[in-house]
Amino acid sequence: MKKSMTGQAALPFPRFFARWLYMRRYDMLALLLLPFIFWLLVLVVLLVASGAEGGLDDASALAIPTVMALVGSFFAILILSLGDAGASFTMVVGWGHPRRYCVAAAWGCGIFFSAVNLLFAVLLQAVTTGIGALLGVGGSFDLLAKMPPVLWGLLLVAPTTVAVLDKGAARRFGPRAGSVLYLLFLFVCIGGSHLVQAVEGPWLSFLGVVFTVALAAAAVLGSVWLLHAPVGNE
């Protein structure tokens, strides 16, 4: 049986991944707390503002709290994944554990946390729907039910993909590569919605295919760079 640099027998991956998740248990609580705070603050502001104006006339406004919770959880998971693919990866590889275990754990942890936060967003939306019913607000404001499957998949894997690509590129090409990718990510976040609005019809579907292929390529490249680049070269 293979041994790590600490002299202990290497763990099978299921046990290794369970310990990785245990190491991140408090981060999971923070990841649930942050979107809840976003949701609660936006909902309170919305209800107070609507009360001052004599009621909530636009049902679509009740979609805003859950959307803000999703945005908050997206960036929180991105920060967590940057830690998993960065400092945690360096530390655990330094303990003698296989790189492939660490890369797989970073992916598994990020996707798991994303899935939990998506389910939490569904729960928050159900609470929001109940509040809307109590207030007698008509119309549909459940944007989650209208989200296409590709967007659910994007929210599931995009934070970890960005983090793995960023840290993999930083190890392979140096810190400046990570900075360039970070600026590109901000450009996509800020300008992506305007690009989608400008593209219509078949070109919109083509854009979705291109983005999906780019995301898959980024996932593969980042993972390969993490597997082969020198540890500590960030």
Side-chain angles (χ1 to χ4, degrees), residues 89-165:
F89 179 87
T90 301
M91 177 179 65
V92 178
V93 170
W95 289 343
H97 293 286
R99 284 183 179 229
R100 64 183 186 278
Y101 278 18
C102 298
V103 173
W107 275 106
C109 185
I111 292 175
F112 173 74
F113 284 176
S114 293
V116 170
N117 274 276
L118 285 174
L119 291 175
F120 190 53
V122 172
L123 175 62
L124 292 178
Q125 184 59 57
V127 174
T128 307
T129 301
I131 293 174
L134 290 175
L135 296 176
V137 178
S140 175
F141 48 83
D142 187 356
L143 289 183
L144 297 183
K146 301 177 181 179
M147 280 171 45
V150 66
L151 187 54
W152 284 95
L154 180 64
L155 291 172
L156 191 65
V157 302
T160 309
T161 301
V162 173
V164 169
L165 180 63

Side-chain angles (χ1 to χ4, degrees), residues 40 64 71 81 97 113 135 164 231:
L40 185 61
I64 299 176
V71 171
S81 297
H97 293 286
F113 284 176
L135 296 176
V164 169
V231 172

Side-chain angles (χ1 to χ4, degrees), residues 12-28:
F13 180 72
R15 290 182 60 190
F16 174 85
F17 184 56
R19 291 192 177 187
W20 187 289
L21 288 178
Y22 182 77
M23 182 175 65
R24 288 297 201 180
R25 63 193 183 279
Y26 297 118
D27 297 315
M28 181 74 258

Side-chain angles (χ1 to χ4, degrees), residues 141-213:
F141 48 83
D142 187 356
L143 289 183
L144 297 183
K146 301 177 181 179
M147 280 171 45
V150 66
L151 187 54
W152 284 95
L154 180 64
L155 291 172
L156 191 65
V157 302
T160 309
T161 301
V162 173
V164 169
L165 180 63
D166 177 82
K167 291 302 181 181
R171 292 177 187 279
R172 177 65 178 82
F173 302 105
R176 291 184 179 179
S179 301
V180 172
L181 290 172
Y182 179 69
L183 292 176
L184 180 61
F185 170 70
L186 290 181
F187 172 77
V188 172
C189 289
I190 296 172
S193 60
H194 300 289
L195 181 61
V196 170
Q197 292 174 4
V199 178
E200 298 180 357
W203 287 105
L204 185 58
S205 299
F206 176 74
L207 181 64
V209 172
V210 170
F211 188 77
T212 302
V213 172

